[in-house]
Amino acid sequence: MSQTVIRVEQLGKKYLLAQQAGGYTNLREKITEKTKSLTQRILTPKRTHKFKPTREEFWALKDVSFEVKQGECVGIIGGNGAGKSTLLKVLSRITEPTKGKIRIKGRVASLLEVGTGFHPELTGRENIYLNGAILGMSKVEIKSKFDEIVAFAEVEKFLDTPVKRYSSGMYVRLAFAVAAHLEPEILIIDEVLAVGDIAFQKKCLGKMENVATQEGQTVLFVSHNMQMVQALCAKACLLKAGSIAAQGNSGDVIEQYLLSLRSLTQLNSTILEQRQDRSGDGSAKLTFINIEDGDGNKVICSISRLKLTIGYRSEKPIYSPRLLVTIYDYNNEYAIFALDSNVVGGVPELLPAEGTVTCITEPMYLTPGRCRVELELLRGEILLDCIEYATCFDVEAYDIYGSGKSPPRSWATCLLRYQWSTNVG
């Protein structure tokens, strides 16, 4: 039996949330409220009182228990707000648990965000030694791995440049290279690989496979990419609302996760008002979404225009509203395309407190298969409401080119009209 290196028992993490009555207000509304308050104080001074915000308990983690053996690669999956990042922060000793016990045997390296532990004023070279020292490595050990780290990160030309001048891609390459090459017993990674380009993601995946299988290190890996989790991890834990909903073989856990998502969605038309799997400040809610083609038909094919009708309800009119619709392949976390009202316009500067917004696209030229839809409603840059798996729809095959053939979704997600020609001789 392999040795247990991580044991978590009845782990809980509680936060206290301060809430003000009325939710978020913009500058104009705040000035109006202050003026009214001053007037009331002058007219009725004895009745005035200072408002105190209410405090609400929020359990980001509730009674979480699991074990990880030495050399295992375990995926942590779940929707937004499930508690994945909080769990990794507690395991990395960045934040203290409210209750429960954690036993970790071995040196831990955490890569929870781009450039974790880097000092912006220090150069890449100096940060390599700094991170190594934080991980408990001696200068001799760091020096022996130095060339491998630099070669992997591909930042040789900028090694003596302060990392504050690095791009996000350079940052994540160097951060991952340091964490993976300094040989910690336990490596904790939270979705940072999405920052790099495709070639770098493949390179990191190969390194992580090598770390977990050949070098015997333990890896905890959070990702929304189910294909990457299944390829890398033999085991997985599914978090839901701060609790473990399932754990075991990664294929079985991922299948259960996808089944739970299907139970949340219906084809084409979905009532969203009572859904609990949402994020945002809560001052507005997405209430429903209806999807059909541009002519009002429920059947959507490869050449259809897409018509989306989205309902919403807010506590008050929404200033500077923004609707963002992102469409994904159902079994993949890479977006096919996004519909952003800020880019093309069409949504007024002030939306009434309740209503619907409609978006109609040009022909999509999607390959046949199922797509899922993520919805976001914002006020400027403030997220009011977001539902990651709002609904889904099926795209039926259509002979776009008149050849009698329609490429499958496994080949590509989108198609273009194009022509071939030859110049003989």
Side-chain angles (χ1 to χ4, degrees):
M1 182 70 69
S2 299
Q3 184 181 17
T4 299
V5 294
I6 300 176
R7 179 179 282 115
V8 177
E9 300 174 358
Q10 302 298 311
L11 181 65
K13 178 61 180 177
K14 178 179 70 174
Y15 293 99
L16 292 177
L17 306 179
Q19 295 184 345
Q20 293 186 358
Y24 174 83
T25 55
N26 61 24
L27 180 61
R28 181 188 301 175
E29 294 166 343
K30 185 65 76 175
I31 293 172
T32 304
E33 288 176 6
K34 290 292 184 182
T35 304
K36 288 181 180 178
S37 177
L38 180 61
T39 305
Q40 288 173 355
R41 261 189 232 132
I42 295 171
L43 297 177
T44 56
K46 293 182 179 180
R47 296 183 183 180
T48 59
H49 64 277
K50 190 174 181 179
F51 170 75
K52 294 183 179 179
T54 60
R55 298 181 74 83
E56 178 186 351
E57 290 186 356
F58 172 71
W59 285 90
L61 297 173
K62 295 179 291 185
D63 297 325
V64 173
S65 300
F66 64 93
E67 291 185 358
V68 180
K69 305 291 185 182
Q70 182 179 356
E72 287 185 336
C73 187
V74 179
I76 311 293
I77 62 176
N80 289 337
K84 305 183 298 297
S85 295
T86 302
L87 174 60
L88 296 196
K89 287 179 181 178
V90 173
L91 293 176
S92 302
R93 301 176 184 174
I94 293 174
T95 184
E96 291 289 329
T98 306
K99 67 174 186 175
K101 295 181 180 179
I102 303 172
R103 293 184 176 91
I104 298 177
K105 185 176 182 179
R107 188 165 48 208
V108 178
S110 302
L111 194 55
L112 303 185
E113 59 184 27
V114 177
T116 302
F118 276 18
H119 193 295
E121 298 296 334
L122 299 181
T123 66
R125 183 189 304 274
E126 291 166 335
N127 271 296
I128 292 174
Y129 281 94
L130 174 63
N131 260 271
I134 291 172
L135 292 174
M137 307 291 289
S138 68
K139 189 173 182 179
V140 174
E141 290 176 293
I142 300 170
K143 192 172 182 179
S144 66
K145 291 286 184 178
F146 187 86
D147 290 340
E148 290 182 42
I149 294 170
V150 174
F152 188 93
E154 301 174 0
V155 293
E156 294 93 337
K157 294 182 179 179
F158 309 98
L159 196 57
D160 295 307
T161 301
V163 296
K164 67 180 181 180
R165 297 184 184 140
Y166 283 15
S167 67
S168 61
M170 293 166 64
Y171 237 110
V172 76
R173 288 203 302 270
L174 186 58
F176 182 87
V178 172
H181 284 82
L182 290 181
E183 298 183 350
E185 284 85 5
I186 301 168
L187 182 60
I188 297 178
I189 300 178
D190 185 6
E191 198 63 283
V192 295
L193 303 187
V195 179
D197 56 28
I198 298 299
F200 179 68
Q201 289 179 28
K202 291 180 178 179
K203 192 175 181 179
C204 290
L205 183 60
K207 176 60 180 176
M208 290 171 64
E209 287 175 333
N210 183 63
V211 165
T213 58
Q214 297 182 18
E215 299 179 16
Q217 291 170 259
T218 305
V219 178
L220 289 182
F221 179 51
V222 164
S223 179
H224 287 284
N225 189 327
M226 297 300 106
Q227 294 177 341
M228 186 176 288
V229 171
Q230 191 158 10
L232 181 65
C233 305
K235 294 184 178 181
C237 290
L238 171 60
L239 285 178
K240 184 177 181 181
S243 301
I244 291 185
Q247 56 182 314
N249 177 273
S250 61
D252 296 336
V253 174
I254 290 171
E255 183 178 359
Q256 183 172 336
Y257 176 47
L258 295 177
L259 285 173
S260 69
L261 296 178
R262 291 188 183 99
S263 68
L264 292 174
T265 58
Q266 302 173 8
L267 288 179
N268 291 58
S269 184
T270 305
I271 303 299
L272 304 173
E273 197 160 10
Q274 302 304 318
R275 291 273 293 271
Q276 300 299 314
D277 57 319
R278 62 205 314 150
S279 56
D281 71 4
S283 62
K285 269 191 175 182
L286 297 158
T287 56
F288 74 88
I289 179 172
N290 184 67
I291 300 178
E292 54 194 2
D293 77 356
D295 298 320
N297 302 311
K298 290 297 182 182
V299 177
I300 298 168
C301 65
S302 296
I303 64 167
S304 293
R305 296 179 301 143
L306 202 60
K307 180 180 179 181
L308 303 98
T309 304
I310 302 165
Y312 69 91
R313 181 178 294 116
S314 175
E315 297 173 352
K316 57 188 70 176
I318 304 174
Y319 293 91
S320 302
R322 179 186 180 190
L323 271 296
L324 181 59
V325 181
T326 310
I327 297 179
Y328 298 82
D329 175 75
Y330 193 81
N331 295 312
N332 201 317
E333 291 299 325
Y334 293 105
I336 300 174
F337 53 82
L339 311 173
D340 189 343
S341 64
N342 269 14
V343 174
V344 298
V347 176
E349 275 297 306
L350 178 64
L351 278 179
E354 184 175 355
T356 62
V357 178
T358 300
C359 177
I360 302 179
T361 73
E362 295 296 320
M364 301 176 298
Y365 298 111
L366 289 173
T367 50
R370 180 163 291 186
C371 300
R372 73 169 177 87
V373 179
E374 176 180 312
L375 293 180
E376 294 176 71
L377 174 60
L378 303 95
R379 179 194 290 113
E381 297 300 321
I382 304 297
L383 182 64
L384 307 182
D385 195 19
C386 171
I387 303 181
E388 188 177 358
Y389 289 81
T391 191
C392 54
F393 63 93
D394 287 327
V395 178
E396 303 295 333
Y398 187 88
D399 184 7
I400 296 176
Y401 309 106
S403 62
K405 299 178 181 179
S406 180
R409 178 66 60 85
S410 59
W411 285 15
T413 53
C414 293
L415 300 169
L416 294 173
R417 288 188 179 275
Y418 53 87
Q419 293 181 337
W420 291 95
S421 63
T422 58
N423 185 8
V424 179

